[in-house]
Amino acid sequence: MQDWKKNLYIVWIGCFLTGTGLNLIMPFLPLYIEELGVHNPDQVSLWSGIALSSTFLVSAIMSPIWGSLADRKGRRIMLLRAALGMSVAMILMGLVTNVYQFVGLRLLMGVFSGYISTANALIATQVPRHRSGQALGLLSTAGVSGVLIGPLIGGFLSDTFGVRPVFFITGILIAGSFLLTLLFVKEKFTPVEKADMLSAKEVLHKLQNPWLIFALFFTTMIIQISSNAVNPILTLYVRDLAGNAQNIAFISGVISSVPGIAALLTAPRLGRWGDKIGTERILLWALVGSMVLQIPMAFVESPWQLAILRFLLGVTDGALFPAVQSLLTKNTPRDVSGRIFGYNQSFQYIGNVVGPMVGSTVAAQFGYNDVFFVVAGFILINVLISAFFNRRLHASKRSG
């Protein structure tokens, strides 16, 4: 088996374990904040938000730094660094005695994050370019699977064993990613001296189409804003739609999961399709589909109508991230791919922070329905930018 294929399968498992581990704590995070001595409901919500967003903020700052080190030292060692650091931070979170220690460790988690983005950079530098859409589409399903399964396992484990043991289990899962990477991932890499590293300005000069790369960064941010803007209000919106239904939590869980299920089923196929007809076309039409699907979500009259629309939205989600990563791969010299993927990860984290803020603010000021209109507006801007660069790409291909 070719090394890149073997590495793809191993880092897929590593990304799955990491994604699962990072999402295990989501169902009971407010409960853990209460256990640490915060009892006022408003304060619990505040500290829960701080605990979640602090990791993303630090990760946004650190991703370009780790990406630069990956270009100098290799991607495999950065995978090992991320997995070991996150594993230790998770285990320590199960030992804290107050909320300040907990937030401090969440900050530390952000410092050491980056396994999944580095895995993408590793595969992007090894896979033949005509197979990049398929390979990165397959790899994207690992994180999606973790997002889907993690909260379900976390809720079950916390009910069965209590909250603190889940942190230890999470740490062990991420340690599994470390061991798999250490034992099985191979990379032929010649370290680059710091003096020989390109500056950020020189990196830009190496890009044939730097504005396309910036547009892809922006697209990554919009994808995350769009995905996360609905999260703060989804359960409340479902409750309004469901009326007197007793199992609101279950219905909300199903509606939260269906986009991920659709993305899991369709991402590899859409990646292969993009390799054949043009990844930029897949990205543009997926953005258009995502924008169009937002509008009827504001007018649904039952949870199941919302579930169907969100399943269709998941099909577009299954195309978006792999398409962005494939286009980054095809338009980035391999010796600077670590930094480019690190920058892209920073924009992803920024979207993770901004999205919930946008959703909760719009819902508070105007209502739940208007969140979908605002999200559609964000995506429309992205559609126009993508259409512009689509024309430029095809014009350059014709002239070339």
Side-chain angles (χ1 to χ4, degrees):
M1 183 185 293
Q2 295 170 290
D3 278 348
W4 73 265
K5 287 186 178 179
K6 181 181 177 182
N7 285 347
L8 175 60
Y9 298 140
I10 295 301
V11 298
W12 190 99
I13 298 171
C15 288
F16 172 73
L17 291 176
T18 301
T20 301
L22 294 177
N23 285 278
L24 280 175
I25 67 169
M26 295 304 172
F28 60 80
L29 182 59
L31 302 178
Y32 195 50
I33 298 292
E34 289 179 341
E35 190 175 313
L36 294 174
V38 180
H39 301 296
N40 182 291
D42 292 337
Q43 290 294 308
V44 170
S45 298
L46 174 64
W47 281 107
S48 296
I50 291 172
L52 285 174
S53 61
S54 59
T55 303
F56 292 128
L57 285 171
V58 175
S59 296
I61 296 168
M62 294 302 301
S63 286
I65 298 171
W66 294 131
S68 178
L69 275 174
D71 286 338
R72 279 183 54 208
K73 303 295 185 182
R75 283 94 198 177
R76 179 176 176 273
I77 195 169
M78 289 295 104
L79 290 173
L80 295 171
R81 181 269 314 159
L84 184 61
M86 288 191 295
S87 175
V88 171
M90 269 292 179
I91 291 171
L92 291 176
M93 283 182 207
L95 301 174
V96 298
T97 57
N98 61 60
V99 72
Y100 302 105
Q101 294 171 355
F102 181 63
V103 170
L105 287 169
R106 292 288 299 176
L107 290 168
L108 184 65
M109 186 91 151
V111 171
F112 284 104
S113 65
Y115 185 96
I116 293 175
S117 63
T118 306
N120 278 292
L122 174 73
I123 299 305
T125 57
Q126 295 182 339
V127 65
R129 298 232 163 167
H130 68 281
R131 301 281 298 278
S132 62
Q134 178 184 354
L136 294 170
L138 176 61
L139 187 56
S140 73
T141 65
V144 172
S145 301
V147 171
L148 286 174
I149 295 172
L152 298 175
I153 297 175
F156 171 76
L157 291 176
S158 62
D159 286 342
T160 306
F161 302 107
V163 171
R164 288 182 184 269
V166 178
F167 288 98
F168 305 137
I169 295 168
T170 302
I172 292 169
L173 277 178
I174 300 175
S177 300
F178 173 83
L179 289 175
L180 282 172
T181 305
L182 179 67
L183 296 174
F184 299 111
V185 170
K186 307 297 181 186
E187 182 186 24
K188 295 176 183 177
F189 187 85
T190 303
V192 180
E193 295 298 325
K194 187 174 183 179
D196 297 327
M197 281 291 292
L198 299 176
S199 66
K201 186 176 180 180
E202 290 169 329
V203 169
L204 290 178
H205 283 307
K206 289 207 72 171
L207 301 174
Q208 289 187 340
N209 196 341
W211 287 107
L212 170 65
I213 302 300
F214 288 131
L216 292 171
F217 292 162
F218 180 77
T219 298
T220 293
M221 183 179 69
I222 293 299
I223 292 169
Q224 288 302 102
I225 290 174
S226 303
S227 299
N228 288 284
V230 180
N231 289 346
I233 59 103
L234 185 61
T235 300
L236 302 173
Y237 190 49
V238 170
R239 186 175 64 187
D240 280 0
L241 294 172
N244 296 322
Q246 298 298 311
N247 53 343
I248 296 297
F250 172 75
I251 296 172
S252 298
V254 170
I255 293 174
S256 296
S257 298
V258 288
I261 294 170
L264 188 63
L265 294 172
T266 58
R269 293 175 179 83
L270 290 169
R272 285 196 297 271
W273 195 22
D275 288 335
K276 291 179 180 178
I277 70 167
T279 307
E280 67 282 355
R281 289 190 175 98
I282 293 289
L283 177 61
L284 178 60
W285 285 109
L287 285 169
V288 171
S290 179
M291 178 187 68
V292 170
L293 286 167
Q294 298 294 329
I295 306 301
M297 289 188 202
F299 299 103
V300 294
E301 297 179 350
S302 75
W304 305 114
Q305 291 174 352
L306 182 62
I308 292 169
L309 289 170
R310 283 181 60 81
F311 182 87
L312 295 174
L313 185 67
V315 175
T316 67
D317 289 346
L320 288 171
F321 263 131
V324 169
Q325 291 162 342
S326 181
L327 284 169
L328 287 174
T329 300
K330 293 172 181 176
N331 292 277
T332 301
R334 294 197 170 188
D335 58 333
V336 296
S337 62
R339 267 186 282 184
I340 295 301
F341 273 85
Y343 296 145
N344 191 59
Q345 188 73 32
S346 291
F347 278 85
Q348 183 175 342
Y349 289 134
I350 291 168
N352 285 340
V353 174
V354 173
M357 293 171 56
V358 169
S360 56
T361 302
V362 172
Q365 294 295 321
F366 304 104
Y368 302 141
N369 307 69
D370 290 297
V371 174
F372 300 100
F373 295 129
V374 171
V375 168
F378 275 112
I379 301 173
L380 175 60
I381 296 170
N382 207 165
V383 166
L384 296 175
I385 293 172
S386 295
F388 172 77
F389 280 101
N390 251 13
R391 286 197 297 271
R392 287 191 58 173
L393 275 176
H394 290 292
S396 64
K397 286 178 182 177
R398 286 193 298 269
S399 63

